[in-house]
């Protein structure tokens, strides 16, 4: 986490790093608790709300560090991990890029709509890493070496529809909506209250004016 945070000057303050560490630990615990329940990704609720409260950079780092920490804690390290870190990082970052002026119930509705899009996009990204090797080379939804972009894209979308979009991804979207509806307003308010406040930039000292001697 420190390596990732060091890449971004916006999270180098002690307060922000501590907040990132605490939320990443909570996110890892949430993910471990919901692992094994097909499609449920309760972590999305935290990532969306934290990204909304603290901005896209914080959301990106939180998503990546939560996934890395949870993988190290329960032995889920594998070739899929970079894809999970990338996808969850952008779930948090995307929430921070939504229009800032929306508040109240419309804000929760907007975040829920975003949660639906993020749930299906996450499934597509995760399918992409193993789809070329998952179904062999002799089916109507296989990757076609040397095939056109349109042909392979069509095969990939059909594969995703049959294996995750109608099941895992839909359940993920539903649970994300329910989570945001239940705790979104209260948790978002608490996160904003804990948001680090940037220290005011000291004004430059007035330059001394040389007084001529006669």
């Amino acid at each position: 986490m420190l390596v990732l945070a060091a890449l971004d000057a916006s999270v180098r303050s002690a307060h922000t790093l501590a907040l990132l560490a605490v939320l990443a630990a909570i996110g890892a615990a949430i993910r471990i608790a919901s692992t094994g329940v097909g499609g449920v990704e309760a972590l999305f609720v935290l990532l969306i709300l934290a990204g909304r409260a603290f901005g896209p950079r914080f959301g990106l780092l939180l998503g990546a560090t939560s996934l890395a920490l949870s993988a190290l804690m329960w032995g889920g390290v594998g070739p899929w991990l970079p894809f999970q870190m990338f996808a969850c990082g952008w779930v948090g970052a995307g929430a921070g890029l939504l229009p800032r002026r929306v508040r109240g119930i419309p804000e929760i509705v907007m975040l829920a709509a975003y949660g639906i899009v993020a749930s299906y996009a996450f499934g597509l990204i995760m399918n992409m890493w193993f789809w070329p090797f998952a179904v062999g080379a002799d089916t109507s939804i296989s990757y076609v070496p040397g095939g056109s972009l349109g042909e392979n894209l069509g095969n990939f979308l059909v594969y995703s529809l049959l294996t995750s979009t109608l099941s895992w991804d839909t359940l993920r979207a539903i649970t994300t909506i329910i989570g945001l509806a239940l705790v979104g307003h209260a948790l978002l308010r608490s996160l904003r209250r804990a948001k680090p406040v940037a220290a005011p930039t000291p004004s430059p000292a007035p330059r001394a004016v040389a007084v001529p001697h006669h």
Side-chain angles (χ1 to χ4, degrees), residues 21-98:
V22 169
L23 291 179
I26 293 173
I30 290 173
R31 188 163 194 276
I32 292 172
S34 63
T35 296
V37 182
V40 175
E41 196 63 77
L43 175 61
F44 273 33
V45 176
L46 176 63
L47 295 182
I48 290 172
L49 294 175
R52 177 65 177 173
F54 303 135
R57 294 179 176 180
F58 190 98
L60 182 68
L61 289 173
L62 178 61
T65 53
S66 296
L67 262 292
L69 185 57
S70 67
L72 291 173
M73 290 174 64
W74 73 282
V77 178
W80 55 84
L81 181 58
F83 289 84
Q84 290 178 327
M85 293 174 62
F86 172 84
C88 278
W90 278 102
V91 170
L97 295 172
L98 295 173

Side-chain angles (χ1 to χ4, degrees), residues 59 101 173-174 190 195:
R101 294 184 179 181
I174 292 172
S190 297
K195 184 175 183 179

Side-chain angles (χ1 to χ4, degrees), residues 122-140:
F122 179 84
L124 290 175
I125 293 173
M126 290 310 303
N127 287 341
M128 191 174 295
W129 83 267
F130 66 87
W131 164 66
F133 323 104
V135 294
D138 300 321
T139 74
S140 60

